[in-house]
Amino acid sequence: MIETFQNIFKVPELKKRIFFTFALLAVYRIGAHIPVPGIDAQALADFFSANQGSILGFFDMFSGGALRRLTIFALGIMPYISASIILQLLTVVIPALEKLSKEGETGRKKITQYTRYGTVILSMIQGLGISYGLEQMKSPVSGAPLIIEPGWSFRLLSMLTLTAGTAFIMWLGEQITEKGIGNGISLIIFAGIVVRMPSAITNSIQAVNRGDLNAIFMTIVLVFVVVITGVIIFVEKGQRRIPVQYAKRVVGRKVYGGQSTHIPLKVNTAGVIPIIFASSILMFPATIAGFYKNQFTQMITELLSPGSLLYETIYVIMIIFFCYFYTAIIFNPVDLADNMKKYGGFIPGIRPGKRTSDYIDRVLMRITFGGALYLSAVSVLPNLLIVYGHVPFYFGGTALLIVVGVALDTISQIESHLMTRNYEGFLKKGKFKGRR
């Protein structure tokens, strides 16, 4: 492992990409500490401390603590994710967008541009809603209002500041993806979650020392987290391999094909995307309702808080839906079967063409169901344990999935850079050769 990390810095391009990624993530963390003008910081801290277990604590986790301090990055990257969800849904139902998505690089650039416009619009709506909602809030400790001088000047300033912050985060993510290492948007969410781990560990140790938490219970929680992490790594690496045989073709004096290979179908093809999609959709109505204190909104907030039966039920349903939806978007069995037929490939016992695409689709749907159940279980069970076990931090299955998934994806990209330059990656050399 030590030699592997040394090899990273022997590749100039990879070293440059890693330093570039860390530099932009550092910029993101600096911005997460620059507050929006006009906020009573102490009153806001008291308010979030009193609502730690609510949906606000869940939203704050994705913003890396920026919402708790209402900084310029308080909205985080969630408006961009919400806009991406909307565009992908519209791509399925609007023929013009579907045609655009199939136009290659040009079409993808236009859809990305539409996503950026949607991000700005959603950020303005959420920023205005949050600023108006904060004007109604008071500190549960001192009774002081959260906003020093409420009014339209504060609302407009907050809306513009939060929108600019989200647009800047979106730009950072795109730059990391293009010039850094890993997926920029995922790494920003990853950084926001991981940066809170030291304080979470410190709070847990202090709670055990004070007697607020049982040491045996905390040990069980830690063992549970380790086991869940192992399960996540195991399943994320799991594949269903469909054997493919290529017939021999004679072109002139040369013989092509004749080799055997396989189609690797991942158990969790969609990765952490369904988790992020489902979380972002569920957070929006509950967050808005949480800022307006009346009987109806209070009921909505309680029903859509993590740990409640309704929340977890809707959460599981949406995860399963987005697993199938996102898998259908990124994986096309028909195109795969056509390409196999074009180059003389076939699955033993299955006729080329439509029979092959139907077979691949059937296998993919079965393993996607298993992957969806796995995502749902890992997301919900730790959340229930933490909510009902009163652990003093919000680091449930959703966060764990994102952290492990993004880490595995980033390591995989680093390995690819190392292997293309004849350096051994994180896997052992012999084991890597056996994967051919």
Side-chain angles (χ1 to χ4, degrees), residues 235-254:
V235 177
E236 291 295 326
K237 292 291 185 180
Q239 294 179 350
R240 166 69 161 87
R241 297 184 175 183
I242 300 178
V244 177
Q245 181 70 40
Y246 282 91
K248 293 183 179 180
R249 294 183 301 162
V250 179
V251 180
R253 295 183 178 181
K254 295 184 179 181

Side-chain angles (χ1 to χ4, degrees), residues 63 68 84 92 176 194 196 268 278 364 380 392 404 409:
S63 66
R68 171 183 293 272
S84 300
V92 177
I176 291 174
V194 170
R196 303 186 64 183
N268 180 27
L364 185 63
V380 170
V404 175
D409 179 62

Side-chain angles (χ1 to χ4, degrees), residues 40-56:
D40 187 331
Q42 185 57 50
L44 185 66
D46 294 339
F47 174 77
F48 268 90
S49 297
N51 292 274
Q52 176 63 31
S54 68
I55 192 71
L56 293 177

Side-chain angles (χ1 to χ4, degrees), residues 222-422:
L222 291 175
V223 172
F224 186 74
V225 170
V226 172
V227 171
I228 291 296
T229 303
V231 170
I232 292 173
I233 295 174
F234 177 77
V235 177
E236 291 295 326
K237 292 291 185 180
Q239 294 179 350
R240 166 69 161 87
R241 297 184 175 183
I242 300 178
V244 177
Q245 181 70 40
Y246 282 91
K248 293 183 179 180
R249 294 183 301 162
V250 179
V251 180
R253 295 183 178 181
K254 295 184 179 181
V255 178
Y256 296 92
Q259 75 271 22
S260 298
T261 182
H262 63 269
I263 303 172
L265 299 179
K266 293 186 64 177
V267 175
N268 180 27
T269 306
V272 298
I273 297 299
I275 302 291
I276 298 175
F277 279 11
S279 301
S280 62
I281 290 177
L282 279 175
M283 282 192 294
F284 184 74
T287 302
I288 298 301
F291 286 114
Y292 303 95
K293 296 297 181 181
N294 56 55
Q295 188 174 0
F296 176 74
T297 57
Q298 187 69 24
M299 180 184 67
I300 295 296
T301 303
E302 292 176 358
L303 289 176
L304 293 180
S305 294
S308 67
L309 179 61
L310 178 62
Y311 175 90
E312 301 299 346
T313 302
I314 297 176
Y315 192 33
V316 169
I317 293 173
M318 294 185 72
I319 288 175
I320 294 175
F321 168 75
F322 280 118
C323 278
Y324 280 100
F325 176 77
Y326 196 74
T327 300
I329 289 177
I330 65 175
F331 193 95
N332 192 329
V334 176
D335 291 345
L336 179 60
D338 290 343
N339 289 331
M340 287 172 53
K341 185 178 180 180
K342 180 180 178 181
Y343 293 101
F346 62 93
I347 299 174
I350 307 295
R351 294 184 63 180
K354 188 176 185 303
R355 293 284 183 88
T356 297
S357 64
D358 290 343
Y359 175 78
I360 296 174
D361 185 63
R362 185 166 62 252
V363 173
L364 185 63
M365 291 301 101
R366 289 177 178 176
I367 64 174
T368 298
F369 181 72
L373 293 181
Y374 141 76
L375 283 180
S376 302
V378 174
S379 299
V380 170
L381 292 179
N383 287 353
L384 296 176
L385 177 66
I386 288 173
V387 169
Y388 294 109
H390 304 291
V391 179
F393 59 88
Y394 202 106
F395 194 77
T398 301
L400 199 58
L401 270 167
I402 293 173
V403 168
V404 175
V406 174
L408 289 175
D409 179 62
T410 305
I411 289 175
S412 176
Q413 291 197 29
I414 293 175
E415 278 189 349
S416 298
H417 280 276
L418 290 174
M419 294 302 174
T420 55
R421 291 162 180 80
N422 300 320

